[in-house]
Amino acid sequence: MNLPNKLTMMRVVLVPVFMIFAAVSHYGTADFHAAYMLIAGVIFAIASITDFLDGYLARKNHLVTDFGKFMDPLADKCLTTAAFIYMVTDHVCSPIVLAVILFREFAVAGVRMLAAETGTVIAANMWGKVKTVLQMLTIIFYYFAGALAGPTDVGFVSFVTIVLCWLCGAATLLSGGIYLWQNRKLFMQAK
């Protein structure tokens, strides 16, 4: 297994670790543990860095593999989706935003399956990358700001996070729409 694939697998392993600390942080409640929230944020940030690093190293060193093409986006989606689910339970993200994110990921996965049947390779587009960066920055902001804010700042952190989540939802919807439009011919070719 090459280094980019090891970094991808490290991200997969970090997902349940992140989930444990996100679950026990209890943001906005009397049982809130800032240290656990900060640890969740650090784990998410490290995992996010591996997302950019594994792709960079794979392209730079010509180490792109079928395993990496499959696992990298899957690890990515598991990480960000888990974070958004916890943000919904913490009441700082609308379930509508989560639904948009999930719908886009299922739709993109469907298009990729159709493309695989025809042997077509679909490159990631700029809007998908913008969406991913915005989602990761929103999650990192929430976990770090929530952990470092004082008790009187909870409302501000929650408000900013809610706004950022809606921006993520809009970027996700836009990137999904563009992705589906650019690959609409695959639907016509499907048997």
Side-chain angles (χ1 to χ4, degrees):
M1 183 175 287
N2 64 33
L3 179 58
N5 289 343
K6 287 178 182 176
L7 289 170
T8 298
M9 290 311 298
M10 183 176 117
R11 191 160 66 257
V12 170
V13 170
L14 286 176
V15 171
V17 178
F18 162 78
M19 291 172 65
I20 290 167
F21 285 101
V24 298
S25 66
H26 303 292
Y27 178 76
T29 71
D31 296 330
F32 175 60
H33 297 283
Y36 294 153
M37 190 165 193
L38 185 60
I39 292 168
V42 169
I43 292 167
F44 186 90
I46 290 168
S48 296
I49 291 167
T50 69
D51 180 36
F52 294 104
L53 192 57
D54 64 5
Y56 170 77
L57 291 173
R59 287 185 298 277
K60 180 183 177 213
N61 299 318
H62 307 289
L63 297 172
V64 176
T65 64
D66 288 339
F67 176 82
K69 287 180 195 175
F70 172 76
M71 246 357 244
D72 180 61
L74 182 62
D76 216 14
K77 302 324 172 223
C78 289
L79 180 66
T80 55
T81 302
F84 276 105
I85 288 170
Y86 282 107
M87 290 166 72
V88 168
T89 63
D90 289 346
H91 306 288
V92 295
C93 184
S94 169
I96 294 169
V97 171
L98 178 60
V100 166
I101 290 168
L102 291 173
F103 176 79
R104 188 243 185 229
E105 299 314 331
F106 285 128
V108 166
V111 169
R112 286 192 175 136
M113 282 192 279
L114 283 173
E117 284 183 13
T118 63
T120 305
V121 176
I122 300 175
N125 66 34
M126 180 196 70
W127 289 105
K129 292 177 184 180
V130 168
K131 177 257 328 166
T132 299
V133 169
L134 184 57
Q135 286 179 353
M136 288 182 171
L137 289 176
T138 297
I139 295 163
I140 289 169
F141 167 81
Y142 171 64
Y143 280 95
F144 279 89
L148 300 174
T152 58
D153 299 323
V154 170
F156 176 76
V157 170
S158 295
F159 173 76
V160 172
T161 304
I162 289 167
V163 170
L164 289 171
C165 283
W166 280 106
L167 288 173
C168 285
T172 301
L173 193 60
L174 178 65
S175 74
I178 291 170
Y179 191 89
L180 293 173
W181 178 256
Q182 287 175 336
N183 297 289
R184 65 191 179 280
K185 292 178 182 174
L186 288 171
F187 297 107
M188 306 304 177
Q189 298 169 354
K191 295 178 183 179

